[in-house]
Amino acid sequence: MLNILKTTTLRSTKMTKEEQLQALNDWNRNTLLQTLDIKFTDVGDDFLVATMPVTPVVHQPLGMLHGGASAALAESLGSCLSNIVLDRSVNAAVGTNLNCNHLKSKKEGMVTGTARLIRKGRTQHFTEIEIRDEKGDLICHSTMTNVVINVR
């Protein structure tokens, strides 16, 4: 198993897209992402995609997708996207702000989140995250700010 924390970047030309996705999914074992069954499914130069099943595990008491579960998916995507574009032997990205607008309810099925890097600065990253259902309907729109810190 590849330890992503010891890998300096996922942008290595030596890693295939499948290896990058496997490394991301391995990195998140024994975390909230595993509890919510969040799986990374696609990655590119400025985007990251993950899915999360909508089951009673992520429901609020009224039987609908909990806003906190949507927020967890959004923050996971935004944080991971910022970290995979950094040289982690020098820097890491940490979230400082997450804004979520919950636009439509969802009772069952699957949601897919897509994070896009809007601004990649030297000290700050800004991402937009859209969470959609199987029909493409927008369930939650989020933005996230990450600060780039020195880890040396």
Side-chain angles (χ1 to χ4, degrees), residues 57-71:
V57 171
V58 297
H59 282 173
Q60 43 99 310
L62 295 176
M64 295 179 275
L65 176 62
H66 194 293
S70 294

Side-chain angles (χ1 to χ4, degrees), residues 14-152:
K14 298 176 186 173
M15 291 184 78
T16 66
K17 181 185 282 195
E18 291 75 22
E19 289 170 331
Q20 292 174 10
L21 291 169
Q22 185 62 53
L24 279 167
N25 286 311
D26 287 347
W27 188 26
N28 291 298
R29 284 193 183 139
N30 301 315
T31 68
L32 179 63
L33 281 79
Q34 184 175 12
T35 301
L36 300 180
D37 201 19
I38 294 171
K39 303 265 192 282
F40 294 101
T41 59
D42 198 9
V43 62
D45 289 338
D46 66 347
F47 72 92
L48 182 61
V49 180
T51 59
M52 181 178 68
V54 180
T55 66
V57 171
V58 297
H59 282 173
Q60 43 99 310
L62 295 176
M64 295 179 275
L65 176 62
H66 194 293
S70 294
L73 175 58
E75 183 157 353
S76 299
L77 280 160
S79 292
C80 286
L81 178 58
S82 280
N83 277 289
I84 65 175
V85 299
L86 292 173
D87 178 346
R88 281 179 314 285
S89 68
V90 178
N91 297 112
V94 294
T96 57
N97 185 44
L98 178 68
N99 178 10
C100 297
N101 292 291
H102 307 289
L103 304 171
K104 188 174 180 184
S105 65
K106 180 86 174 149
K107 292 187 176 188
E108 61 183 12
M110 184 73 70
V111 291
T112 300
T114 302
R116 296 199 180 281
L117 201 52
I118 303 301
R119 183 177 191 304
K120 179 188 166 201
R122 187 177 53 79
T123 61
Q124 189 176 49
H125 294 174
F126 185 72
T127 57
E128 176 184 54
I129 304 100
E130 290 186 344
I131 299 173
R132 296 183 177 272
D133 66 10
E134 305 91 337
K135 294 185 270 182
D137 291 340
L138 188 59
I139 303 299
C140 179
H141 180 268
S142 303
T143 56
M144 182 173 183
T145 304
N146 289 308
V147 171
V148 178
I149 61 170
N150 189 313
V151 294
R152 284 190 184 180

